[in-house]
Amino acid sequence: VTYSRKVFIPLTQLCRDHCTYCTFRRDPEELGGHLFMTPEEVLAVAREGELRGCHEALFTLGERPEQRHAAARTWLLERGYKSTVDYLVAMCDLVLRETRLLPHSNPGTLTAPEMRRLREVNASLGMMLESVSLQLLEPGQPHHAAPSKHPRARLATIERAGALRVPFTTGLLLGLGDRREDQIDGLIAIRESHRRHDHVQEVIIQNFRAKPGTGMADAPEPPEREVMRIAAVARLVFGSQMNIQIPPNLAQSGYGAYLDAGINDWGGISPVTPDFVNPEAPWPEISELARETAEHGLGLRARYPVYPEYVLRGDEYLAPRISERLRSEASQDGYPPEMAASRLGS
């Protein structure tokens, strides 16, 4: 069972979308002028992660805030950037040049030219499909004010990643009000894209958690047994070779039972930064994660933000500068060199 030792870099919390369950998104007036992380701030977090043995710099950000907020456009243009994606490319390049961390970015939907640029400075990219239900776009529903959450736009981005040979992470968000049939259809849609391109490196089954102050603060959360059921169905849909993850910090009680549903990955875990998307849900200590995994008869191993099967295929899926670094650093089986026990527990 794997996990990625990471730092979480919330490049901007501005977003053009307004999902009714999200607490990550902020408007400019809420941020007090601090609209984007500066290069110095990005590098400081990445260097702290490097000192703590991390391999991944996870860039998470709102989607295209410059399309909604004049303040975001002004901030970017004053610094020579046309878009948030332009700035993201520059910050990924900075981390890649100045540290040993490998960027993995979640910027939302992307055009093919944008994805080509990000591919050059990212080991992998990600975007949750969340749901294929069109009902969630209707008035009063969670995605009504979130144009980028239209299933057609999300699936097109997943397909572009395949066409461009980008190792890609995606998955479902359970509990938004879609039906079981929609969830199965979502898994099958991901599977069909992966069959065409062999690029989906991981499928995440993530459970909605109600947050105070949001439009879904009182919405029911999916029971853990339902989360396990969809994870087990995902294992059946994708077969034994797919990496399937449930985030342990979002479990309502003990997360170890998720292993019985057939998952083989815990996702990103940070010894440095919180989960800024779910700040109320701290990640478990890595030493605790190892103990819980061992209690289920399994071992825990760190991975890169790109899975070993894509590391071993090198230039077929990775930009030259990423592939060259991994060739010089990774073990023969595509994993990071094993860490000393003293650093593993920190």
Side-chain angles (χ1 to χ4, degrees), residues 182-201:
D182 297 318
Q183 295 161 1
I184 304 304
D185 287 346
L187 292 174
I188 291 172
I190 295 168
R191 183 189 67 185
E192 294 310 298
S193 184
H194 180 62
R195 283 180 171 175
R196 286 188 287 273
H197 304 292
D198 197 23
H199 68 300
V200 177
Q201 64 168 4

Side-chain angles (χ1 to χ4, degrees), residues 81-323:
Y81 301 103
K82 294 181 180 179
S83 69
T84 300
V85 171
D86 282 349
Y87 187 53
L88 174 62
V89 170
M91 293 303 96
C92 291
D93 178 69
L94 177 67
V95 167
L96 202 54
R97 283 187 287 107
E98 298 293 334
T99 75
R100 300 299 300 174
L101 270 60
L102 294 170
H104 169 90
S105 295
N106 292 323
T109 58
L110 293 167
T111 66
E114 289 170 336
M115 194 173 288
R116 286 191 191 96
R117 294 179 63 206
L118 284 167
R119 183 184 189 274
E120 294 301 309
V121 291
N122 278 265
S124 55
L125 295 172
M127 180 204 67
M128 293 290 280
L129 171 60
E130 295 198 10
S131 175
V132 295
S133 172
L134 296 177
Q135 178 186 340
L136 300 185
L137 301 168
E138 295 176 358
Q141 295 295 311
H143 290 161
H144 176 61
S148 81
K149 295 298 177 73
H150 196 292
R152 185 169 57 244
R154 312 296 271 188
L155 289 169
T157 294
I158 296 171
E159 191 71 10
R160 288 185 193 110
L164 294 172
R165 313 298 275 177
V166 176
F168 204 76
T169 292
T170 188
L172 304 183
L173 180 57
L174 309 183
L176 299 183
D178 53 354
R179 304 168 304 160
R180 283 183 170 181
E181 291 88 343
D182 297 318
Q183 295 161 1
I184 304 304
D185 287 346
L187 292 174
I188 291 172
I190 295 168
R191 183 189 67 185
E192 294 310 298
S193 184
H194 180 62
R195 283 180 171 175
R196 286 188 287 273
H197 304 292
D198 197 23
H199 68 300
V200 177
Q201 64 168 4
E202 176 186 49
V203 175
I204 301 172
I205 306 300
Q206 182 172 329
N207 51 303
F208 157 77
R209 296 299 304 268
K211 296 176 172 59
T214 68
M216 294 183 68
D218 298 320
E221 298 177 349
E224 286 191 353
R225 189 162 186 82
E226 189 70 6
V227 179
M228 292 176 67
R229 185 191 71 83
I230 291 294
V233 171
R235 177 57 70 201
L236 293 172
V237 168
F238 287 97
S240 62
Q241 299 304 307
M242 179 56 70
N243 300 297
I244 298 177
Q245 177 211 131
I246 301 178
N249 62 316
L250 300 184
Q252 293 168 333
S253 56
Y255 55 84
Y258 289 150
L259 294 166
D260 300 329
I263 71 166
N264 67 306
D265 186 80
W266 292 121
I269 307 291
S270 181
V272 178
T273 52
D275 180 347
F276 287 95
V277 174
N278 301 283
E280 78 289 351
W283 283 300
E285 294 288 336
I286 294 170
S287 56
E288 176 200 320
L289 196 69
R291 285 194 300 271
E292 186 70 31
T293 304
E295 287 179 6
H296 284 75
L298 298 163
L300 184 70
R301 190 169 186 186
R303 60 168 172 82
Y304 292 109
V306 58
Y307 275 81
E309 49 265 44
Y310 295 95
V311 172
L312 296 176
R313 293 160 80 174
D315 295 338
E316 182 184 358
Y317 282 90
L318 303 174
R321 64 194 295 194
I322 306 287
S323 181

